Amino acid sequence: MAVFTEVSTNEARDLLRRLQLGDLVALRGIEGGIENTNYFLTSDQGEFVLTLFERLTAEQLPFYLYLMKHLAHGGMPVPDPRPDQNGDILHTVCGKPAAVVNKLRGKSQLAPQPVHCAAVGTMLARMHRAGRDFDRHQPNLRGLPWWNETVPVVLPHIGPEQAALLRAELAYQNHVAASSAYAALPRGPVHADLFRDNVMFDGEELTGCFDFYFAGVDTWLFDLAVCLNDWCIELPTGIHDATRAASMLAAYQAERPLTAAERELLPAMLRAGALRFWISRLWDFYLPREASMLVPHDPAHFERVLRGRIAHPVHA
């Protein structure tokens, strides 16, 4: 959500006209993440979010956009991509592939309580169920193959103790992925990045989730582990919060009970979720791209989470 590509008011005005969304009132760049360019786009018909995709290609993007539309039409509180007069939901702005979605109501809950974690667990399970009949397939592009490719790139930038942990955990995750228990895990479309800042609340009411641009087909357990590693962790220390985790797991299982293989591999997938974001933060920190308003996340946080998940396994 940094701004890599500057969009002019004339370009924004032309886009709104093409999408029949009214006249431009305001255009404002969004600070935050590190993958795409995002703007709040306000017209006389409402508030929208414009995303210009900096890494994803026009061939990859239909999976994400049509997944959002599929979930929105299935009653999930997710952004619904807006079509042009030809029905296309993938557009071009400043020479980049782009999409416009409705702006969700509410605000992020950055200090979640058990009630918020339960709401996320419920929504995540419903989202997994709603995605079962989605007819497009694309792997999680930040899954195990990407970890194997990226670790050698970041290793020269870190100390020997960190490098030893990174190599050992990557070897462990390759071993887990080759197991029969892993092969038995239920799969389908996953969000894969459902952090606190990607969910909106109005008080205790969950009003929506967004930023599906890391989505892909993967194990549902990995998606749940990513959530547990953010919503149920003390940010300053990386320590597990058992009360919040119990609330999320109970709410999730009330909608979709975990299988025996999922219960067995939850500790391993919590480690996998921590490893994935440690690798990506190391990559973004040491090999950043230029962008206005870009502030890379601290990689050390997910190193602490990973060490905690190894030392103190959490079971369903």
Side-chain angles (χ1 to χ4, degrees):
M1 296 182 191
V3 173
F4 298 95
T5 302
E6 300 287 346
V7 177
S8 71
T9 54
N10 285 338
E11 287 161 327
R13 190 174 291 115
D14 179 64
L15 177 63
L16 287 172
R17 191 176 300 117
R18 282 188 280 140
L19 303 188
Q20 299 180 302
L21 293 176
D23 294 325
L24 180 67
V25 173
L27 177 69
R28 178 166 62 89
I30 303 175
E31 300 181 43
I34 49 181
E35 286 296 316
N36 302 312
T37 292
N38 286 270
Y39 284 87
F40 286 128
L41 189 63
T42 304
S43 81
D44 56 7
Q45 291 187 16
E47 293 186 286
F48 305 92
V49 177
L50 164 63
T51 299
L52 280 67
F53 300 99
E54 303 290 347
R55 280 178 165 156
L56 295 169
T57 67
E59 292 71 34
Q60 294 166 334
L61 282 163
F63 175 86
Y64 307 101
L65 299 177
Y66 282 101
L67 175 60
M68 290 160 62
K69 186 161 280 292
H70 177 84
L71 294 174
H73 288 187
M76 298 304 301
V78 304
D80 192 356
R82 298 307 172 101
D84 62 16
Q85 291 176 314
N86 298 319
D88 294 326
I89 57 177
L90 180 59
H91 316 297
T92 302
V93 177
C94 300
K96 302 283 181 70
V100 174
V101 301
N102 53 300
K103 183 174 179 286
L104 298 172
R105 174 174 61 89
K107 62 182 181 180
S108 298
Q109 175 51 260
L110 301 181
Q113 302 303 309
V115 64
H116 303 109
C117 296
V120 172
T122 297
M123 181 194 64
L124 186 67
R126 290 176 179 172
M127 197 158 60
H128 289 163
R129 290 166 51 196
R132 285 182 297 193
D133 59 349
F134 184 56
D135 60 1
R136 294 173 183 257
H137 186 281
Q138 185 165 282
N140 176 1
L141 299 180
R142 291 289 179 90
L144 184 61
W146 185 82
W147 307 349
N148 284 319
E149 292 171 5
T150 308
V151 164
V153 177
V154 301
L155 281 174
H157 299 279
I158 60 179
E161 187 178 349
Q162 292 174 308
L165 174 61
L166 200 53
R167 289 192 185 96
E169 188 60 30
L170 183 61
Y172 172 72
Q173 292 300 332
N174 276 286
H175 174 74
V176 170
S179 69
S180 58
Y182 184 83
L185 295 177
R187 288 166 169 78
V190 299
H191 185 285
D193 189 35
L194 200 62
F195 280 39
R196 304 176 193 196
D197 53 358
N198 287 335
V199 180
M200 305 295 272
F201 280 90
D202 183 356
E204 294 182 352
E205 177 195 0
L206 192 157
T207 55
C209 71
F210 59 99
D211 198 0
F212 278 79
Y213 304 117
F214 283 119
V217 173
D218 205 328
T219 69
W220 289 333
L221 185 63
F222 177 77
D223 212 15
L224 178 57
V226 168
C227 288
L228 288 163
N229 278 348
D230 183 64
W231 291 85
C232 308
I233 289 287
E234 294 295 340
L235 294 183
T237 62
I239 292 175
H240 174 71
D241 185 308
T243 302
R244 279 187 270 157
S247 295
M248 180 175 285
L249 283 167
Y252 184 94
Q253 294 202 86
E255 297 287 333
R256 192 192 75 81
L258 297 180
T259 66
E262 287 176 312
R263 291 194 297 273
E264 177 186 343
L265 286 184
L266 178 60
M269 286 301 100
L270 289 168
R271 290 169 60 170
L275 177 66
R276 176 262 186 263
F277 285 97
W278 187 26
I279 294 171
S280 64
R281 288 190 176 188
L282 286 168
W283 188 47
D284 289 325
F285 189 84
Y286 290 109
L287 302 162
R289 296 171 295 155
E290 291 186 8
S292 63
M293 306 194 301
L294 176 59
V295 180
H297 294 296
D298 179 11
H301 171 68
F302 274 105
E303 178 188 353
R304 289 191 293 269
V305 174
L306 176 58
R307 291 184 185 278
R309 293 308 195 193
I310 294 170
H312 306 288
V314 173
H315 298 275

